[in-house]
């Protein structure tokens, strides 16, 4: 049987270790999420009750349909809470390990900063900073490659959306200096 | 015959240079998102939706549907060459596709995958061509109670037939329906669940939610895992293609069976995942040599790909005919129609014939062009995987942000997208399904309007949902499906469970 050569190999220098300790188990997160959803159901249910969740002369009031949905959400969350409590005692499946958590944060934190920077410097500058920064700091890719990729990608996005398709994106002082 | 004439008219609408170029662009972008780790059909369509905002509806939907076909084709490349299923429904393709690649038969496996995808889609498009106009003309007789009953049937079948824990599906669906109600009430004009926030006045746009739920969360999940790849490069020669095609008649029964299963599970909310596994298992069950499955058998590639693609395509049938999407991607396409002011459902076939038949014609043409394109460009697309994920991930984040912002030109939506990204990440990890959430977000307002109109017409009497044979049957079926697991269990206990199912178990 012919054994072909493996021709595409991409290594991952930042891969998480296999034996990383667990930060939190799925059962705990499930309980936490059910509690949050229960709180949300109570809040939304109250707001719909306040808006009007019964009948008047014209038919169902605005809060009628969403109020009963809040009840269903609350019921589902309560059931989930009990089910998760029972299952929690039996097994503790890992939700995220420390190494995985670090890697998720390595994407999440830059994305959060990107959203923040977009508000002040516009989307294109924020995009350039995110791509160049992420490639350099997280991917350990050569600086010139990171800067060039970020510039080319941002320029393509600008030409595609703002110029070719007339989809106007949030701008900042840099674009303003160029008259956009 | 009428459908055939209308289809020809659809081709006439479609065959302009502009539309054909957009079709090619859509297919290339689609294959691209299908191959890239962390993206897939629904994400690709949602993220690239803003590109179509300034187009006319026909060109826009043609491009979006071609992104969808392209993504479906692209998923097979990573499954076979790298043993990485881009989507859950590609998992079954890896069982025999990857062993074939290891045996030096990657080109054969890829040709089999693309060809069977094409066949599955073609059968589903034929079904749409002839069945959708009939369903929509029947649905023209529907009033609000019938429509609400159909929505209820969709929701209940998700709960009753879904593989996930029932309470998790209920949580996902009710949360989606609640979030769809945020903002101004369309009937009374009152504000609901806005808590004084001017940003929430607009409500939560489901496309923003989808971009976060699928795009951002997928990046977080992909990043969490090891991103090292080790796979095979492949190029497809005409000799291999003709060789596979020559052997196709041998597998006609498998292809037909899987197309049928796919279409059925696409129209009902069973979905492509169930279709692909069911197709694979049935092919294994009906063969004389089941032991050879999983070791590089070409039928093991034909079966799941045919079923999954038939299912993915057939999911567009209820969307077009009734305005009820059969899958997450169909829901996003439905959202796209709404962005352009089109109201999916039976009236679409009456009021926008050019659009509907142009779209159906594009399904035929898009699949043919897509098949030729993937067969000739596999090495190029496979090499995309050489690009490090550290470069791809931030580009996807930026594309998501552009998509989220462009929908309503609101900065708040970028933050909302990020929030939904976290929700999607956590929900996926604890097994709360996202498809019912998306479906509920899309259909929430329509379902509520139908419910309220029904109740107003009946002065609040719930018996309106059993007021005639049609609505009564649909509502009863909905309730049966909701409690199907319990009913099935009961039937099993009293020995009434169908023999085939018992045997399968």
């Amino acid at each position: 049987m012919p054994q072909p050569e493996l021709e595409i190999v991409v290594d991952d220098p930042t891969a998480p270790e296999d034996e990383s300790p667990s930060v939190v188990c799925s059962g705990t997160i499930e309980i936490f999420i059910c509690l949050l959803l229960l709180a949300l159901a109570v809040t939304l249910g109250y707001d719909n009750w306040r808006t009007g969740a019964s009948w008047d002369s014209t038919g169902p009031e605005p809060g009628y349909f969403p109020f009963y949905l809040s009840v269903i959400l609350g019921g589902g969350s309560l059931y989930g809470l009990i089910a998760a409590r029972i299952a929690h005692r039996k097994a503790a499946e890992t939700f995220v390990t420390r190494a995985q958590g670090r890697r998720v944060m390595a994407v999440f934190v830059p994305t959060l900063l990107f959203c923040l920077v977009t508000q002040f410097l516009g989307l294109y500058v924020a995009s350039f900073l995110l791509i160049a920064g992420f490639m350099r700091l997280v991917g350990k890719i050569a600086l010139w490659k990171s800067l060039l990729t970020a510039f080319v990608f941002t320029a393509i996005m600008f030409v595609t959306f703002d110029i070719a398709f007339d989809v106007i994106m949030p701008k900042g002082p840099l674009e303003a200096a160029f008259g956009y | 015959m009428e459908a055939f004439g209308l289809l020809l008219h659809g081709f006439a609408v479609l065959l302009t240079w502009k539309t054909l170029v957009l079709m090619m662009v859509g297919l290339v972008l689609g294959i691209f998102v299908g191959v890239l780790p962390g993206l897939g059909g629904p994400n690709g369509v949602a993220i690239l939706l803003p590109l179509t905002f300034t187009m006319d509806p026909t060109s826009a939907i043609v491009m979006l549907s071609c992104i969808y076909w392209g993504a479906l084709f692209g998923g097979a490349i990573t499954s076979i060459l790298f043993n990485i299923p881009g989507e859950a429904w590609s998992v079954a393709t890896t069982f025999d596709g990857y062993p074939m690649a290891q045996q030096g038969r990657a080109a054969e496996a890829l040709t089999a995958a693309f060809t069977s995808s094409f066949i599955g889609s073609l059968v589903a498009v034929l079904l749409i061509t002839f069945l959708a106009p009939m369903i929509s003309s029947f649905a023209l007789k529907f009033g609000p109670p019938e429509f609400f009953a159909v929505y209820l049937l969709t929701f209940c079948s998700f709960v009753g037939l879904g593989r996930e824990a029932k309470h998790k599906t209920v949580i996902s669906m009710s949360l989606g329906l609640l979030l769809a109600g945020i903002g101004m009430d369309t009937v009374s004009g009152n504000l609901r669940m806005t808590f004084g926030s001017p940003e929430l006045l607009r409500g939560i746009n489901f496309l923003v939610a989808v971009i976060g739920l699928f795009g951002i969360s997928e990046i977080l999940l992909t990043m969490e895992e090891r991103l090292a790849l080790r796979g095979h490069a492949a190029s497809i020669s005409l000799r291999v293609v003709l060789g596979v095609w020559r052997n196709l008649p041998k597998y006609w029964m498998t292809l037909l069976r899987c197309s049928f299963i796919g279409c059925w599970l696409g129209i009902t909310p069973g979905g492509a995942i169930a279709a692909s596994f069911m197709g694979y298992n049935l092919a294994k069950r009906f063969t004389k040599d089941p032991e050879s499955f999983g070791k590089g058998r070409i039928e093991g590639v034909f079966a799941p790909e045919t079923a999954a693609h038939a299912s993915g395509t057939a999911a567009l049938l209820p969307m077009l005919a009734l305005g009820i999407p059969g899958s997450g991607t169909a829901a996003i396409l439905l959202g796209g129609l709404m962005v352009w002011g089109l109201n999916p459902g039976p009236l679409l076939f009456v009021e926008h014939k050019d659009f509907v038949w142009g779209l159906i014609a594009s399904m035929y043409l898009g699949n043919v062009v897509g098949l030729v394109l993937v067969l000739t460009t596999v090495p190029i697309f496979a090499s995309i995987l050489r690009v490090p994920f550290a470069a791809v991930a931030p580009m996807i984040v930026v594309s998501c942000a552009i998509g989220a912002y462009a929908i309503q030109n609101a900065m708040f939506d970028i933050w909302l997208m990020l929030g939904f990204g976290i929700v999607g990440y956590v929900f996926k990890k604890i097994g709360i399904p996202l498809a019912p959430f998306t479906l509920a977000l899309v259909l929430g307002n329509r379902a509520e309007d139908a419910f309220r109109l029904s109740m107003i017409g009946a002065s609040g009497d719930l018996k309106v949902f059993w007021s005639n044979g049609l609505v009564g049957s649909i509502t009863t079926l909905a309730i049966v499906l909701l409690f199907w697991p319990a009913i099935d269990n009961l039937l099993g206990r009293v020995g009434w469970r169908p023999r085939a199912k018992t045997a399968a178990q």
Side-chain angles (χ1 to χ4, degrees), chain B residues 113-128:
Chain B
F114 298 147
T115 309
S116 48
S117 307
F118 171 77
I119 293 169
S121 293
L122 189 69
V123 172
V125 179
L126 281 168
L127 189 80
I128 292 174

Side-chain angles (χ1 to χ4, degrees), chain B residues 178-201:
Chain B
L178 266 171
L179 295 186
I182 290 178
M184 193 178 284
D185 172 26
T186 47
V187 178
S188 66
N190 282 25
L191 294 179
R192 301 189 302 189
M193 300 176 274
T194 57
F195 301 100
S197 159
E199 298 287 1
L200 287 175
L201 279 178

Side-chain angles (χ1 to χ4, degrees), chain B residues 102-344:
Chain B
Q102 283 181 310
Q103 293 159 15
R105 295 161 61 206
E108 203 184 325
L110 286 167
T111 307
F114 298 147
T115 309
S116 48
S117 307
F118 171 77
I119 293 169
S121 293
L122 189 69
V123 172
V125 179
L126 281 168
L127 189 80
I128 292 174
T129 308
F130 294 103
L131 214 58
M134 283 160 65
I135 296 174
S136 66
S137 61
F138 176 64
L140 281 172
K141 295 176 190 141
F142 281 20
E146 284 80 6
F147 269 111
F148 180 74
V150 174
Y151 292 129
L152 189 70
L153 177 69
T154 311
F155 296 139
C156 290
S157 52
F158 256 103
V159 178
L161 305 179
R163 291 172 305 129
E164 295 85 2
K166 305 299 167 208
H167 71 279
K168 289 184 178 174
T169 308
V170 169
I171 286 174
S172 174
M173 201 169 275
S174 52
L175 186 65
L177 286 167
L178 266 171
L179 295 186
I182 290 178
M184 193 178 284
D185 172 26
T186 47
V187 178
S188 66
N190 282 25
L191 294 179
R192 301 189 302 189
M193 300 176 274
T194 57
F195 301 100
S197 159
E199 298 287 1
L200 287 175
L201 279 178
R202 281 190 304 268
I204 291 178
N205 188 293
F206 96 95
L207 287 168
V208 175
V210 164
I211 291 172
L213 287 172
F214 290 94
I216 298 293
S217 74
E218 203 57 48
I219 290 291
L220 297 174
L221 281 167
T222 309
M223 189 68 188
E224 197 183 272
E225 302 303 326
R226 186 180 290 270
L227 300 170
L229 295 171
R230 186 165 280 262
H232 306 268
S235 59
I236 299 175
S237 67
L238 188 64
R239 193 179 54 81
V240 173
V241 173
L242 293 177
V244 172
W245 287 0
R246 219 180 359 255
N247 285 327
L248 269 181
K250 273 203 267 180
Y251 304 106
W252 72 273
M253 195 58 204
T254 301
L255 295 169
L256 195 68
R257 198 183 291 125
C258 292
S259 299
F260 175 75
I261 292 164
C263 287
W264 174 250
L265 289 173
I267 296 168
T268 60
I273 304 168
S276 64
F277 281 103
M278 204 181 275
Y280 186 85
N281 286 336
L282 279 181
K284 196 174 168 182
R285 199 175 151 201
F286 282 100
T287 186
K288 287 176 189 156
D289 180 21
E291 296 303 312
S292 62
F293 271 77
K295 294 174 185 163
R297 190 172 162 140
I298 199 163
E299 214 175 339
V301 177
F302 278 134
E305 284 289 316
T306 309
H309 283 244
S311 169
T313 310
L316 300 178
L317 172 63
M319 180 202 92
L320 283 173
L322 297 169
I324 297 167
S327 69
T329 315
I332 297 162
L333 287 175
L334 185 138
L337 298 188
M338 290 176 178
V339 170
W340 303 301
L342 298 171
N343 206 8

Side-chain angles (χ1 to χ4, degrees), chain A residues 104-125:
Chain A
V104 172
M105 281 299 142
V107 185
F108 180 71
V109 173
T111 306
L112 187 74
L113 291 173
F114 162 75
C115 295
L116 205 64
V117 172
T118 299
Q119 256 182 316
F120 302 104
L121 299 180
L123 189 127
Y124 295 114
V125 174

